[in-house]
Amino acid sequence: MSTLTSSTPGVRRGPGPRLRGLTWLIWRQNRTAFWIALAAAAAVAVYAAVQHQHVAAAVSAHHLDACHGRETSAGCLRNLLGFERDHQFPLRRPLQAMLLLPFLFGLFLGGPQLAQELESGTYRTVATQSVTRTRWFAAKLGVPLVMTVFVSGVFSAAMTWWWHPVAGVLGPLFPWQGWYPFYGVGPVVVGLCVLLYLLGATLGLVLRRTVLAMGATLVVGAGLFALLEQVRPYLWPVRTASAQHTSEPPAPGSAWMLADGPLSKDGRRVSEVTDCYAQSDFRRCLTGHGITGHWAEYHPASDFWPLQWTATGVCLALGVALVALSLWWIRRHPS
C-alpha cells in the first residue's frame, strides 16, 4: 500500500515514537477499543493498588501474619473470619469477572479484526497497493496482539497484587485451586487473552462474517476453556503420599486433593468400606476390614505457579498454531 507507507495525514509529527503506514491505519481502525481497554486497565490498576493497601493495613493492625489461615486460637480465628468478610468476599466478584476478559478480547477485538475487512471487501485494496497480503495480515494481527498482551498484563498484575496478601493470610480458607482465583491472576490471564484473541481472528478469517465469527469465538472459546480446566490437574506432576495408622489423607491442609483412598496393611490401595461410616468406632471397623492407612494424590500450594506457567504455555502454543493456520489459509485462499 504505497498510500499507507508514505507520509500520512494525522501521523504524529513531534519528537518520540511515531505510528506510520499500516501501524497507524490499524491503530485508527481500532482506536476506540484500544482507548477503552487502556482506560479500563488503568482504573483496575488504581483500584487494586488501593485495595492492596487496605489489605496490608488490616494484616498489620490485627497481626494476622501469625495466623496463616489456621485455627491457632479463638482470637486468631475471629480475626481471620473478620478479615475474610472484609477482604476476601469483596475480592471474589472481581476474580470471577476476570474470566470474561479473554472472551472480551476474542469477541470484540479478535472476531471483527479480519472478518470486517473480508465481509466488506475492503481487503481487496491490498492487491492494488505495494503491501503484500502477508504483511497486511501481520500488521492486522500484530498491532491488536501487542495491545492485548499489554492490557491483559496490566489486569493480571493488578489482580495478582490485590489477591496475593489475602491468600497469604487466609491460606486454606481461600483455596487456590478453584477456577477462581486460578484464572483471575498470574500469567494465565495473558495466555488466555492471547489465545481467545487469536481464535477470534482466525475464525473471522475462515468464516468471513463478523457476527458469525464472534458467535463461533464464544462457543469454541468456551470449549477450549472447559478442556483446559479438565487437563489442568495434570499439567504438572502430581504428588503421591501414603501413611499407615491414619484414616485421613496424608496431604497438607492447603493441598489440591485429586484423589484419595484407604490402604491395606501391606500398602495396597483398597476400596472404601462405606458400612464403617455408620459405626461408633470408625477406626476399629476399618481395621477389622484390613484397612490401616490412607493414600492421597494432590498438588501442594507450591505447585500454583508451575501450574500457572504451564497452562500459559499451553495457551500460547495453541495461539502459535492458530497463527500458522491463518498464514496457511491466507496463502491457499488469495481471493
Side-chain angles (χ1 to χ4, degrees):
M1 286 184 181
S2 57
T3 57
L4 297 178
T5 56
S6 60
S7 179
T8 311
V11 179
R12 182 182 174 184
R13 300 296 182 183
R18 302 177 181 179
L19 297 180
R20 295 180 175 178
L22 279 173
T23 305
W24 174 82
L25 176 64
I26 293 163
W27 169 270
R28 291 278 297 175
Q29 289 175 333
N30 296 277
R31 64 187 182 278
T32 301
F34 287 170
W35 283 120
I36 291 174
L38 289 170
V44 168
V46 171
Y47 185 72
V50 171
Q51 293 300 319
H52 177 89
Q53 292 303 112
H54 291 167
V55 171
V59 171
S60 177
H62 295 94
H63 308 287
L64 293 175
D65 282 334
C67 294
H68 296 296
R70 291 187 287 270
E71 300 180 19
T72 53
S73 66
C76 188
L77 177 60
R78 183 172 59 253
N79 289 336
L80 282 172
L81 292 177
F83 179 85
E84 183 180 35
R85 181 187 62 250
D86 296 338
H87 296 285
Q88 181 196 356
F89 293 170
L91 179 56
R92 286 182 178 182
R93 294 302 183 195
L95 285 174
Q96 292 169 351
M98 284 292 288
L99 186 59
L100 299 176
L101 187 66
F103 289 93
L104 292 177
F105 279 105
L107 266 66
F108 298 106
L109 191 60
Q113 197 59 227
L114 299 174
Q116 281 184 342
E117 299 258 11
L118 295 169
E119 189 173 12
S120 64
T122 55
Y123 75 97
R124 294 189 179 92
T125 307
V126 175
T128 65
Q129 305 296 325
S130 58
V131 174
T132 65
R133 289 174 59 85
T134 302
R135 184 182 167 195
W136 169 81
F137 168 77
K140 286 288 290 182
L141 206 63
V143 174
L145 179 60
V146 171
M147 187 60 66
T148 298
V149 172
F150 177 77
V151 171
S152 62
V154 172
F155 270 93
S156 173
M159 294 305 300
T160 305
W161 182 246
W162 182 4
W163 163 80
H164 191 267
V166 178
V169 168
L170 292 177
L173 297 177
F174 192 4
W176 59 270
Q177 65 269 19
W179 65 267
Y180 82 92
F182 189 86
Y183 294 109
V185 300
V188 74
V189 174
V190 180
L192 282 169
C193 289
V194 168
L195 174 59
L196 266 292
Y197 162 72
L198 293 173
L199 175 66
T202 302
L203 289 173
L205 177 65
V206 173
L207 299 175
R208 304 168 70 94
R209 294 292 184 273
T210 302
V211 175
L212 186 58
M214 293 171 70
T217 300
L218 179 61
V219 173
V220 179
L224 286 175
F225 175 77
L227 181 61
L228 179 62
E229 179 64 7
Q230 288 296 315
V231 303
R232 178 164 65 99
Y234 313 105
L235 295 177
W236 196 252
V238 176
R239 313 290 180 91
T240 303
S242 59
Q244 293 288 349
H245 312 297
T246 182
S247 58
E248 298 295 327
S254 59
W256 179 10
M257 292 293 302
L258 301 178
D260 70 284
L263 283 174
S264 65
K265 185 180 297 185
D266 58 1
R268 290 183 297 106
R269 297 182 180 185
V270 294
S271 301
E272 293 275 4
V273 182
T274 55
D275 294 342
C276 289
Y277 291 113
Q279 301 296 320
S280 57
D281 195 336
F282 176 66
R283 289 199 174 184
R284 177 174 291 182
C285 178
L286 291 178
T287 303
H289 285 83
I291 297 174
T292 58
H294 215 87
W295 61 270
E297 293 179 350
Y298 64 94
H299 283 293
S302 59
D303 282 357
F304 176 81
W305 291 112
L307 284 166
Q308 275 265 327
W309 284 107
T310 308
T312 304
V314 170
C315 292
L316 296 180
L318 291 174
V320 170
L322 288 171
V323 172
L325 174 62
S326 297
L327 283 170
W328 174 83
W329 185 272
I330 208 168
R331 289 170 179 170
R332 289 291 298 270
H333 300 80
S335 58

